Amino acid sequence: MRLAGTISEQRQARRFADYLLTQGIAARLGPSREGWTVWVIEEEALPWARDELASFRREPGAARFAVSREAERIRAESRAAASRREVVAGALPPAPTPVMPWSLSSPTPLTWALLVLCGVVALMTRLGDPDAPLLARLVIAGAGDAGSFAPALREPWRWVTPVLLHAGPLHLLFVAVIWPELARRVEARAGTAALAAMVLGFGIFGNVVQNMFDGPACIGLSTPAFGLLGFAVGGRGAREAEVVLAAAWLGACLLGLVGPVGGAAHVAALAAGLGVGAVTRRLRGRRRVA
């Protein structure tokens, strides 16, 4: 549940909450020193709700916000449906408790599969040791091929596999901290295919930019993680702790403090994510208005 904003009068706050309900957005009201806070239950609806709140503040008396009767009808139908579900649930045996919250039967299998795969590859490459035989087969180009895509053209997996490599325990620790929540939110809401598309898109784009402008030393799941962070920021759904942690890591990358992890790739993926997030937010807003 995220805060959409504050409305000074309780009657107006209820009027806006009714409007949100008719648009398919559940909201809660709460008292505060400034008036009444409006909390949106679904985080993905927060950007649109904030935009609508700004419109409501400008024209609280607009006809499109006069939907109290429709909102009451929706509430009545919801209460009736809940009663029917309670009757049906009482006749059914209780659902089994899941044994492992991170199992493949969870709604975010790709999030955890990629993280586990990164751990396995880290062991096989001795955490990005340049002398590890496998490492040379997974990067886009070798040390002497800066700016060249010839190896990746011959062996197409090289476009993607750099995201599985990590340069030391600190790099892998950063990914283990920031990746799960960013990826889980995308996969749980948009689906596994959407997360896979973002990993491929942000990863390949970042790797290509890195290889073109700053040499071939570009590795890590942190590249698509920065793309997902940009996507969250562009959609106004990022969390402050994630932004602070990513900014600190990006600064360390650009200063060369954490090894060859690809500062240019991170910046490129972040920019791409910002663009995708902004476009997605705008399209979602248009669908809701329609």
Side-chain angles (χ1 to χ4, degrees):
M1 189 164 65
R2 301 290 298 276
L3 178 63
T6 304
I7 299 177
S8 57
E9 298 181 11
Q10 183 180 15
R11 181 177 59 85
Q12 295 288 60
R14 288 179 176 172
R15 179 182 176 91
F16 183 65
D18 286 345
Y19 170 70
L20 291 181
L21 180 61
T22 62
Q23 300 300 307
I25 298 177
R28 298 287 184 271
L29 301 179
S32 69
R33 293 181 179 179
E34 295 78 16
W36 290 83
T37 53
V38 180
W39 298 85
V40 174
I41 305 301
E42 297 181 3
E43 186 173 340
E44 64 179 3
L46 181 63
W48 184 86
R50 285 176 173 170
D51 291 342
E52 289 299 291
L53 179 56
S55 300
F56 179 80
R57 285 170 174 159
R58 290 192 297 269
E59 295 183 281
R64 68 190 183 102
F65 296 120
V67 292
S68 59
R69 291 185 178 179
E70 183 181 355
E72 186 55 38
R73 178 185 60 79
I74 294 173
R75 292 190 182 98
E77 292 177 353
S78 178
R79 288 191 294 266
S83 298
R84 290 193 295 270
R85 286 195 297 269
E86 289 178 0
V87 172
V88 173
L92 297 175
T97 302
V99 177
M100 293 181 61
W102 293 1
S103 67
L104 290 178
S105 61
S106 70
T108 57
L110 185 59
T111 296
W112 306 110
L114 284 174
L115 197 59
V116 170
L117 186 57
C118 285
V120 172
V121 174
L123 293 176
M124 297 176 66
T125 60
R126 300 192 294 273
L127 284 173
D129 184 351
D131 296 327
L134 180 61
L135 187 140
R137 298 294 307 277
L138 298 181
V139 294
I140 281 186
D145 296 319
S148 171
F149 297 104
L153 292 174
R154 292 193 303 268
E155 299 171 331
W157 66 81
R158 290 176 180 263
W159 296 105
V160 181
T161 49
V163 303
L164 303 176
L165 302 168
H166 293 84
L170 188 61
H171 189 193
L172 192 60
L173 177 62
F174 167 77
V175 167
V177 170
I178 200 169
W179 169 260
E181 184 61 19
L182 285 170
R184 184 190 65 81
R185 292 206 301 267
V186 172
E187 187 172 10
R189 292 168 184 162
T192 299
L195 177 61
M198 290 188 187
V199 170
L200 291 173
F202 296 144
I204 292 174
F205 180 66
N207 291 336
V208 169
V209 170
Q210 178 76 25
N211 196 52
M212 289 175 61
F213 297 103
D214 201 23
C218 169
I219 58 177
L221 195 59
S222 49
T223 296
F226 268 86
L228 295 182
L229 177 64
F231 178 77
V233 172
R236 296 183 182 177
R239 297 175 180 174
E240 183 177 352
E242 295 168 347
V243 175
V244 172
L245 178 60
W249 179 260
L250 181 58
C253 292
L254 295 176
L255 293 173
L257 302 179
V258 290
V261 296
H266 291 162
V267 173
L270 179 64
L274 285 168
V276 174
V279 170
T280 301
R281 179 174 63 87
R282 183 177 294 273
L283 293 176
R284 187 184 297 122
R286 288 180 177 176
R287 286 197 300 269
R288 290 189 183 278
V289 171

